[in-house]
mmCIF file of all heavy atoms in Angstrom:
data_model
loop_
_atom_site.group_PDB
_atom_site.id
_atom_site.type_symbol
_atom_site.label_atom_id
_atom_site.label_comp_id
_atom_site.label_asym_id
_atom_site.label_seq_id
_atom_site.Cartn_x
_atom_site.Cartn_y
_atom_site.Cartn_z
ATOM 1 N N LEU A 46 197.499 115.173 -35.851
ATOM 2 C CA LEU A 46 197.370 115.750 -34.481
ATOM 3 C C LEU A 46 195.968 115.604 -33.801
ATOM 4 O O LEU A 46 195.789 116.074 -32.712
ATOM 5 C CB LEU A 46 197.694 117.316 -34.497
ATOM 6 C CG LEU A 46 199.084 117.568 -34.963
ATOM 7 C CD1 LEU A 46 199.404 119.071 -35.156
ATOM 8 C CD2 LEU A 46 200.062 116.931 -33.960
ATOM 9 N N ASP A 47 195.163 114.930 -34.592
ATOM 10 C CA ASP A 47 193.826 114.530 -33.959
ATOM 11 C C ASP A 47 193.171 113.484 -34.910
ATOM 12 O O ASP A 47 192.673 113.827 -35.915
ATOM 13 C CB ASP A 47 192.856 115.736 -33.699
ATOM 14 C CG ASP A 47 191.708 115.325 -32.783
ATOM 15 O OD1 ASP A 47 190.932 114.344 -33.194
ATOM 16 O OD2 ASP A 47 191.543 116.022 -31.740
ATOM 17 N N LYS A 48 193.166 112.244 -34.411
ATOM 18 C CA LYS A 48 192.720 111.174 -35.340
ATOM 19 C C LYS A 48 191.143 111.287 -35.762
ATOM 20 O O LYS A 48 190.748 110.764 -36.692
ATOM 21 C CB LYS A 48 192.935 109.795 -34.701
ATOM 22 C CG LYS A 48 192.121 109.572 -33.337
ATOM 23 C CD LYS A 48 192.502 108.356 -32.774
ATOM 24 C CE LYS A 48 191.885 108.116 -31.390
ATOM 25 N NZ LYS A 48 190.391 108.147 -31.387
ATOM 26 N N ASP A 49 190.489 112.032 -34.899
ATOM 27 C CA ASP A 49 189.054 112.188 -35.130
ATOM 28 C C ASP A 49 188.591 113.396 -35.852
ATOM 29 O O ASP A 49 187.789 113.390 -36.713
ATOM 30 C CB ASP A 49 188.247 112.026 -33.731
ATOM 31 C CG ASP A 49 188.466 110.715 -33.083
ATOM 32 O OD1 ASP A 49 188.458 109.708 -33.790
ATOM 33 O OD2 ASP A 49 188.662 110.574 -31.943
ATOM 34 N N LYS A 50 189.202 114.483 -35.457
ATOM 35 C CA LYS A 50 188.808 115.827 -35.971
ATOM 36 C C LYS A 50 189.697 116.520 -36.923
ATOM 37 O O LYS A 50 189.445 117.436 -37.665
ATOM 38 C CB LYS A 50 188.640 116.844 -34.714
ATOM 39 C CG LYS A 50 187.456 116.464 -33.783
ATOM 40 C CD LYS A 50 187.256 117.559 -32.784
ATOM 41 C CE LYS A 50 188.326 117.634 -31.788
ATOM 42 N NZ LYS A 50 188.498 116.552 -30.812
ATOM 43 N N GLY A 51 190.937 115.907 -37.089
ATOM 44 C CA GLY A 51 191.982 116.653 -37.871
ATOM 45 C C GLY A 51 191.772 116.702 -39.302
ATOM 46 O O GLY A 51 192.258 117.579 -40.027
ATOM 47 N N GLY A 52 191.160 115.657 -39.974
ATOM 48 C CA GLY A 52 190.961 115.656 -41.337
ATOM 49 C C GLY A 52 192.065 114.970 -42.114
ATOM 50 O O GLY A 52 193.155 114.894 -41.734
ATOM 51 N N TYR A 53 191.641 114.305 -43.247
ATOM 52 C CA TYR A 53 192.620 113.466 -43.989
ATOM 53 C C TYR A 53 192.129 113.176 -45.414
ATOM 54 O O TYR A 53 190.932 113.406 -45.669
ATOM 55 C CB TYR A 53 192.879 112.067 -43.272
ATOM 56 C CG TYR A 53 191.683 111.282 -43.172
ATOM 57 C CD1 TYR A 53 191.453 110.269 -44.029
ATOM 58 C CD2 TYR A 53 190.747 111.413 -42.091
ATOM 59 C CE1 TYR A 53 190.281 109.429 -43.999
ATOM 60 C CE2 TYR A 53 189.555 110.636 -42.016
ATOM 61 C CZ TYR A 53 189.357 109.657 -43.004
ATOM 62 O OH TYR A 53 188.279 108.876 -42.902
ATOM 63 N N PHE A 54 193.013 112.667 -46.207
ATOM 64 C CA PHE A 54 192.735 112.257 -47.646
ATOM 65 C C PHE A 54 193.310 110.927 -47.832
ATOM 66 O O PHE A 54 194.568 110.768 -48.041
ATOM 67 C CB PHE A 54 193.258 113.270 -48.598
ATOM 68 C CG PHE A 54 192.972 113.071 -50.072
ATOM 69 C CD1 PHE A 54 193.151 114.080 -50.945
ATOM 70 C CD2 PHE A 54 192.403 111.902 -50.527
ATOM 71 C CE1 PHE A 54 193.004 113.883 -52.335
ATOM 72 C CE2 PHE A 54 192.131 111.690 -51.878
ATOM 73 C CZ PHE A 54 192.434 112.672 -52.749
ATOM 74 N N SER A 55 192.594 109.905 -47.777
ATOM 75 C CA SER A 55 193.110 108.505 -47.802
ATOM 76 C C SER A 55 192.741 107.733 -49.087
ATOM 77 O O SER A 55 191.579 107.754 -49.484
ATOM 78 C CB SER A 55 192.600 107.742 -46.632
ATOM 79 O OG SER A 55 193.097 106.450 -46.557
ATOM 80 N N ILE A 56 193.666 107.006 -49.555
ATOM 81 C CA ILE A 56 193.390 106.046 -50.580
ATOM 82 C C ILE A 56 194.062 104.702 -50.197
ATOM 83 O O ILE A 56 195.250 104.618 -50.177
ATOM 84 C CB ILE A 56 193.984 106.519 -52.047
ATOM 85 C CG1 ILE A 56 193.427 107.878 -52.402
ATOM 86 C CG2 ILE A 56 193.623 105.401 -53.132
ATOM 87 C CD1 ILE A 56 194.035 108.466 -53.615
ATOM 88 N N HIS A 57 193.262 103.735 -49.925
ATOM 89 C CA HIS A 57 193.758 102.458 -49.395
ATOM 90 C C HIS A 57 193.004 101.242 -49.841
ATOM 91 O O HIS A 57 191.824 101.414 -50.311
ATOM 92 C CB HIS A 57 193.802 102.521 -47.866
ATOM 93 C CG HIS A 57 192.439 102.766 -47.223
ATOM 94 N ND1 HIS A 57 191.580 101.731 -47.112
ATOM 95 C CD2 HIS A 57 191.825 103.881 -46.887
ATOM 96 C CE1 HIS A 57 190.401 102.164 -46.522
ATOM 97 N NE2 HIS A 57 190.554 103.513 -46.421
ATOM 98 N N PRO A 58 193.648 100.064 -49.832
ATOM 99 C CA PRO A 58 192.904 98.893 -50.286
ATOM 100 C C PRO A 58 191.683 98.618 -49.320
ATOM 101 O O PRO A 58 191.645 99.146 -48.189
ATOM 102 C CB PRO A 58 193.935 97.761 -50.077
ATOM 103 C CG PRO A 58 195.166 98.496 -50.151
ATOM 104 C CD PRO A 58 195.031 99.772 -49.520
ATOM 105 N N ASP A 59 190.688 97.960 -49.918
ATOM 106 C CA ASP A 59 189.527 97.525 -49.248
ATOM 107 C C ASP A 59 189.935 96.847 -47.901
ATOM 108 O O ASP A 59 190.938 96.194 -47.754
ATOM 109 C CB ASP A 59 188.734 96.466 -50.037
ATOM 110 C CG ASP A 59 187.449 96.052 -49.334
ATOM 111 O OD1 ASP A 59 187.610 95.157 -48.549
ATOM 112 O OD2 ASP A 59 186.433 96.579 -49.680
ATOM 113 N N SER A 60 189.269 97.191 -46.760
ATOM 114 C CA SER A 60 189.661 96.772 -45.486
ATOM 115 C C SER A 60 189.767 95.283 -45.283
ATOM 116 O O SER A 60 190.355 94.887 -44.374
ATOM 117 C CB SER A 60 188.649 97.393 -44.409
ATOM 118 O OG SER A 60 187.370 96.981 -44.638
ATOM 119 N N SER A 61 189.121 94.576 -46.083
ATOM 120 C CA SER A 61 189.111 93.095 -46.008
ATOM 121 C C SER A 61 190.415 92.489 -46.597
ATOM 122 O O SER A 61 190.688 91.323 -46.408
ATOM 123 C CB SER A 61 187.961 92.471 -46.738
ATOM 124 O OG SER A 61 187.996 92.728 -48.165
ATOM 125 N N LEU A 62 191.241 93.294 -47.293
ATOM 126 C CA LEU A 62 192.426 92.809 -47.960
ATOM 127 C C LEU A 62 193.678 92.990 -47.066
ATOM 128 O O LEU A 62 193.756 93.934 -46.274
ATOM 129 C CB LEU A 62 192.629 93.530 -49.282
ATOM 130 C CG LEU A 62 191.559 93.331 -50.418
ATOM 131 C CD1 LEU A 62 191.919 94.342 -51.526
ATOM 132 C CD2 LEU A 62 191.574 91.859 -50.883
ATOM 133 N N SER A 63 194.539 91.990 -47.170
ATOM 134 C CA SER A 63 195.892 92.112 -46.493
ATOM 135 C C SER A 63 196.932 92.450 -47.604
ATOM 136 O O SER A 63 196.998 91.626 -48.609
ATOM 137 C CB SER A 63 196.219 90.798 -45.856
ATOM 138 O OG SER A 63 195.308 90.457 -44.804
ATOM 139 N N CYS A 64 197.609 93.510 -47.383
ATOM 140 C CA CYS A 64 198.566 94.022 -48.412
ATOM 141 C C CYS A 64 199.875 94.267 -47.740
ATOM 142 O O CYS A 64 200.038 94.694 -46.605
ATOM 143 C CB CYS A 64 198.057 95.226 -49.071
ATOM 144 S SG CYS A 64 196.667 94.981 -50.166
ATOM 145 N N THR A 65 200.955 93.969 -48.533
ATOM 146 C CA THR A 65 202.296 94.498 -48.190
ATOM 147 C C THR A 65 202.405 95.883 -48.801
ATOM 148 O O THR A 65 201.946 96.085 -49.926
ATOM 149 C CB THR A 65 203.375 93.597 -48.791
ATOM 150 O OG1 THR A 65 203.343 92.303 -48.176
ATOM 151 C CG2 THR A 65 204.721 94.172 -48.586
ATOM 152 N N THR A 66 202.880 96.760 -47.970
ATOM 153 C CA THR A 66 202.974 98.185 -48.448
ATOM 154 C C THR A 66 204.536 98.563 -48.593
ATOM 155 O O THR A 66 205.209 98.328 -47.680
ATOM 156 C CB THR A 66 202.375 99.167 -47.479
ATOM 157 O OG1 THR A 66 201.109 98.741 -47.289
ATOM 158 C CG2 THR A 66 202.335 100.582 -48.126
ATOM 159 N N LYS A 67 204.788 99.192 -49.695
ATOM 160 C CA LYS A 67 206.235 99.719 -49.954
ATOM 161 C C LYS A 67 206.105 101.133 -50.327
ATOM 162 O O LYS A 67 205.125 101.574 -51.066
ATOM 163 C CB LYS A 67 206.993 98.992 -51.006
ATOM 164 C CG LYS A 67 207.239 97.477 -50.639
ATOM 165 C CD LYS A 67 208.048 96.892 -51.638
ATOM 166 C CE LYS A 67 208.472 95.393 -51.260
ATOM 167 N NZ LYS A 67 209.529 95.357 -50.214
ATOM 168 N N GLN A 68 206.956 101.973 -49.839
ATOM 169 C CA GLN A 68 206.926 103.428 -50.133
ATOM 170 C C GLN A 68 208.368 103.835 -50.569
ATOM 171 O O GLN A 68 209.315 103.588 -49.819
ATOM 172 C CB GLN A 68 206.364 104.264 -49.003
ATOM 173 C CG GLN A 68 205.967 105.655 -49.343
ATOM 174 C CD GLN A 68 205.318 106.374 -48.158
ATOM 175 O OE1 GLN A 68 206.025 106.556 -47.096
ATOM 176 N NE2 GLN A 68 204.165 106.806 -48.260
ATOM 177 N N GLN A 69 208.453 104.611 -51.618
ATOM 178 C CA GLN A 69 209.789 105.156 -52.058
ATOM 179 C C GLN A 69 209.549 106.346 -52.922
ATOM 180 O O GLN A 69 208.495 106.582 -53.463
ATOM 181 C CB GLN A 69 210.480 104.061 -52.812
ATOM 182 C CG GLN A 69 209.758 103.689 -54.159
ATOM 183 C CD GLN A 69 210.510 102.549 -54.901
ATOM 184 O OE1 GLN A 69 211.580 102.085 -54.490
ATOM 185 N NE2 GLN A 69 210.054 102.245 -56.063
ATOM 186 N N TYR A 70 210.620 107.164 -53.041
ATOM 187 C CA TYR A 70 210.629 108.285 -53.994
ATOM 188 C C TYR A 70 211.015 107.713 -55.376
ATOM 189 O O TYR A 70 211.894 106.830 -55.502
ATOM 190 C CB TYR A 70 211.576 109.337 -53.516
ATOM 191 C CG TYR A 70 211.077 110.219 -52.358
ATOM 192 C CD1 TYR A 70 211.541 110.065 -51.090
ATOM 193 C CD2 TYR A 70 210.033 111.103 -52.609
ATOM 194 C CE1 TYR A 70 211.126 110.818 -49.982
ATOM 195 C CE2 TYR A 70 209.528 112.010 -51.544
ATOM 196 C CZ TYR A 70 210.070 111.728 -50.246
ATOM 197 O OH TYR A 70 209.570 112.497 -49.295
ATOM 198 N N MET A 71 210.412 108.388 -56.319
ATOM 199 C CA MET A 71 210.853 107.971 -57.678
ATOM 200 C C MET A 71 212.252 108.615 -57.842
ATOM 201 O O MET A 71 212.669 109.595 -57.162
ATOM 202 C CB MET A 71 209.869 108.495 -58.744
ATOM 203 C CG MET A 71 208.469 107.850 -58.555
ATOM 204 S SD MET A 71 207.233 108.398 -59.687
ATOM 205 C CE MET A 71 207.741 107.492 -61.158
ATOM 206 N N PRO A 72 213.066 108.038 -58.736
ATOM 207 C CA PRO A 72 214.456 108.346 -58.813
ATOM 208 C C PRO A 72 214.820 109.894 -58.889
ATOM 209 O O PRO A 72 214.224 110.538 -59.733
ATOM 210 C CB PRO A 72 215.031 107.585 -60.004
ATOM 211 C CG PRO A 72 214.116 106.470 -60.142
ATOM 212 C CD PRO A 72 212.828 106.973 -59.690
ATOM 213 N N SER A 73 215.690 110.334 -57.982
ATOM 214 C CA SER A 73 216.157 111.775 -58.042
ATOM 215 C C SER A 73 215.017 112.795 -58.057
ATOM 216 O O SER A 73 215.032 113.741 -58.771
ATOM 217 C CB SER A 73 217.078 112.012 -59.211
ATOM 218 O OG SER A 73 218.114 111.160 -59.209
ATOM 219 N N SER A 74 213.970 112.463 -57.207
ATOM 220 C CA SER A 74 212.816 113.458 -57.190
ATOM 221 C C SER A 74 212.170 113.482 -55.912
ATOM 222 O O SER A 74 212.536 112.625 -55.003
ATOM 223 C CB SER A 74 211.852 113.011 -58.257
ATOM 224 O OG SER A 74 211.045 111.857 -57.783
ATOM 225 N N ASN A 75 211.164 114.291 -55.798
ATOM 226 C CA ASN A 75 210.319 114.366 -54.635
ATOM 227 C C ASN A 75 208.889 113.887 -54.998
ATOM 228 O O ASN A 75 207.914 114.289 -54.368
ATOM 229 C CB ASN A 75 210.251 115.748 -54.024
ATOM 230 C CG ASN A 75 211.545 116.051 -53.187
ATOM 231 O OD1 ASN A 75 211.880 115.216 -52.393
ATOM 232 N ND2 ASN A 75 212.000 117.248 -53.318
ATOM 233 N N ILE A 76 208.847 113.065 -55.920
ATOM 234 C CA ILE A 76 207.541 112.378 -56.313
ATOM 235 C C ILE A 76 207.506 111.036 -55.512
ATOM 236 O O ILE A 76 208.401 110.183 -55.612
ATOM 237 C CB ILE A 76 207.512 112.172 -57.800
ATOM 238 C CG1 ILE A 76 207.504 113.415 -58.552
ATOM 239 C CG2 ILE A 76 206.134 111.377 -58.109
ATOM 240 C CD1 ILE A 76 207.501 113.268 -60.092
ATOM 241 N N LEU A 77 206.457 110.945 -54.693
ATOM 242 C CA LEU A 77 206.446 109.778 -53.854
ATOM 243 C C LEU A 77 205.452 108.633 -54.306
ATOM 244 O O LEU A 77 204.415 108.919 -54.785
ATOM 245 C CB LEU A 77 205.912 110.172 -52.428
ATOM 246 C CG LEU A 77 205.907 109.164 -51.298
ATOM 247 C CD1 LEU A 77 207.389 108.891 -50.941
ATOM 248 C CD2 LEU A 77 205.202 109.794 -50.075
ATOM 249 N N GLN A 78 205.954 107.422 -54.227
ATOM 250 C CA GLN A 78 205.240 106.228 -54.689
ATOM 251 C C GLN A 78 204.907 105.318 -53.521
ATOM 252 O O GLN A 78 205.771 104.897 -52.807
ATOM 253 C CB GLN A 78 206.018 105.524 -55.840
ATOM 254 C CG GLN A 78 205.318 104.245 -56.350
ATOM 255 C CD GLN A 78 206.215 103.474 -57.255
ATOM 256 O OE1 GLN A 78 207.091 102.769 -56.686
ATOM 257 N NE2 GLN A 78 206.118 103.591 -58.577
#
């Protein structure tokens, strides 16, 4: 709700890298990968 002031916790590849990103839940769970 505010890209500058809202706050965040980010873990991402070094900005120089190009990556394909996939996101899914682990089977039958609410654990996100």
